[in-house]
Amino acid sequence: MTDWTTDPIRRRGATPSVPRTRVALVVGSVSLWVLVVFMHSVVWAQQRVDDTDLAASSAPRIAAIGDCPAADAVAQTIETLIPRRAIPAPRRGAEVNVADQGDSYRVQVVVEGATHTRLYRDVGRDCAHRARVAAVFVVLTLVPPELLMESPPAPPPPPPPPTEVVVAAPPRPPVPTRAWRPSLALAGVLDVAPAVLDAPSIVSPGAELRLALQKGRLAGELGFGVQPGAGFSLSGVSVQQRRIPIDASLAFRQPVRGAVEIGAAVGVAGAVFEIEGVNPPVRREGTRVDLGARAAVEVRVATASRRAAAFIGAHALYFPRSYELATTPAGVVGHTPSLWVGGQLGASLSF
């Protein structure tokens, strides 16, 4: 038989008991869950309080006189235009006053000690429209436009400079030295000896051939002339003269315009001349040589190639020694001319 007074586990009508370790685990788990839920609720509540305080501190204070527009409508419209957090911190304490004046309404924003006021006219009293206009004015006053706009993207970096390719300049061609350029000229000549002292006046036509060797603007010239007949009269005696003038000159030529060129020359001159009396009782003839100096000027007009040119010029010849002119039986009747002046007209060809 069993002793019911001494068996602590089994008794009539009793159920088996739960071990104490399991009970402690269950109680600890429930307590931990309750603690977690409680801490989460505290943190959430504190965040709501912080958000409410931030929203309250960041929202401008709006006061309205009249109900068109209402302060709540203006505040809601401001919230739709820009979040309160976008308002710069120094401007979050701004004061906004909206006054309904019947056919018009006034919006005033006091921020950082400055007052901004706008007066709008609205005869139709559209309150929603008034709230939008007032909200836009408040937002533009509190938030500069540059904060409302997205910053433009940074410009792309400039392309790298092109690689410089240094090309060596080609060597300069050697400057050709000016070569001597020969030329040949042929001209008609007319020489005149004026009657000076006891010299007769003589007109002597003829032709002239000139050879020149030019380098740059300087040229050496050599002239040969033929004057086959020149008649003059002296003390009733008719005389016929034939001359062969020769000269060697140094010339300088200067281009002036286009193909026009002027020149001057000086040099020594000579002339071989023969004089023959035509009507004296005793006909006599003689040959002499004059030696002296020559000076000349000329103007040339060249072709495009400068190989050919036409020229006109003037010259003067001076022979310091004169010869006596004598007849039989009259004797000396004069002297040969010392001064000759003349001109030439001709053309030249260069090679």
Side-chain angles (χ1 to χ4, degrees), residues 292-307:
R294 177 181 182 270
V297 293
E298 67 176 10
V299 177
R300 289 174 173 263
V301 180
T303 60
S305 63
R306 295 189 175 273
R307 291 180 57 85

Side-chain angles (χ1 to χ4, degrees), residues 24 59 62 90 124 144 157 176-177 192 211 214 220 231 259 276 281 283 285 334:
I62 302 175
T177 58
V192 177
L211 301 176
Q214 182 173 348
E276 178 184 3
R283 297 186 63 175
E285 63 180 27

Side-chain angles (χ1 to χ4, degrees), residues 68-70 73-75 77-78 81 105 126-136:
C68 190
V74 175
T77 307
I78 292 175
L81 292 176
Y105 59 100
D126 185 349
C127 298
H129 177 71
R130 291 187 178 191
R132 288 193 297 270
V133 173
V136 170

